[in-house]
Amino acid sequence: LAEVMNRTNSLVHDDVDSSGNFITVFVLSFCPSTRRACWVGAGHDPAWFFPRTGEPCRTLAGRDIPLGVDPRWRFTEAAETLDGGLLLMGTDGVWEAGAEGAGMFGKERLLQVVRGSIQSPPQDIAARVFEAVERFTSGGRVEDDRTVVIARLA
């Protein structure tokens, strides 16, 4: 993954050089037979892993800068063995969704919604997340994309 990100970074830099633009990315691969997850975080918020054993949620964070900032940057891959549980990734449009006078929806509220429906199918958990964000924002104007990826690792 790190080498793919290195090559992608060079291409993105060629496209955005001098514009001030960049791309934040979190990319993760998981091998079910070895239970090994590998990821690279390029300026993006981390993923979360909820072990089915009930242990506390773990943060899967990257340490790299966004794509396009520095073409010489060498990305690093993190890895961990993940036994059964639930994997959650998302965009900041979910936790940064705001409500007048109430601030942002927040990561802790997101994690509470997921914990509260941890045994449900991933598509139902995603629906509950979006319903909670809509309730919190009172259906207000959407300022940013709202995306979640939820995978059950059996």
Side-chain angles (χ1 to χ4, degrees):
L1 291 178
E3 188 52 38
V4 169
M5 293 293 281
N6 291 332
R7 285 191 236 142
T8 303
N9 181 51
S10 180
L11 294 170
V12 170
H13 182 268
D14 290 348
D15 284 347
V16 302
D17 190 27
S18 303
S19 72
N21 293 322
F22 56 85
I23 301 170
T24 65
V25 176
F26 184 91
V27 60
L28 181 142
S29 74
F30 177 73
C31 179
S33 62
T34 64
R35 317 293 311 158
R36 187 165 173 78
C38 300
W39 66 89
V40 175
H44 199 280
D45 285 289
W48 295 275
F49 178 69
F50 300 82
R52 78 167 151 230
T53 59
E55 295 170 42
C57 171
R58 297 201 310 258
T59 301
L60 309 179
R63 302 176 299 275
D64 293 304
I65 65 173
L67 295 175
V69 174
D70 179 355
R72 295 172 306 278
W73 185 267
R74 305 312 295 168
F75 288 82
T76 56
E77 187 174 296
E80 188 175 324
T81 298
L82 300 178
D83 290 321
L86 191 81
L87 181 66
L88 167 67
M89 296 179 279
T91 58
D92 60 8
V94 174
W95 46 87
E96 291 180 1
E100 188 78 28
M104 293 188 290
F105 184 74
K107 292 177 185 174
E108 189 51 45
R109 199 173 269 116
L110 167 65
L111 298 177
Q112 287 173 356
V113 171
V114 173
R115 281 185 198 104
S117 51
I118 199 82
Q119 298 304 321
S120 300
Q123 63 270 23
D124 292 350
I125 298 170
R128 288 181 185 133
V129 166
F130 293 127
E131 289 165 4
V133 171
E134 279 298 306
R135 270 193 314 277
F136 181 81
T137 61
S138 302
R141 185 168 174 249
V142 175
E143 300 288 333
D144 199 355
D145 68 295
R146 296 177 184 168
T147 304
V148 294
V149 175
I150 300 173
R152 184 156 321 275
L153 307 181

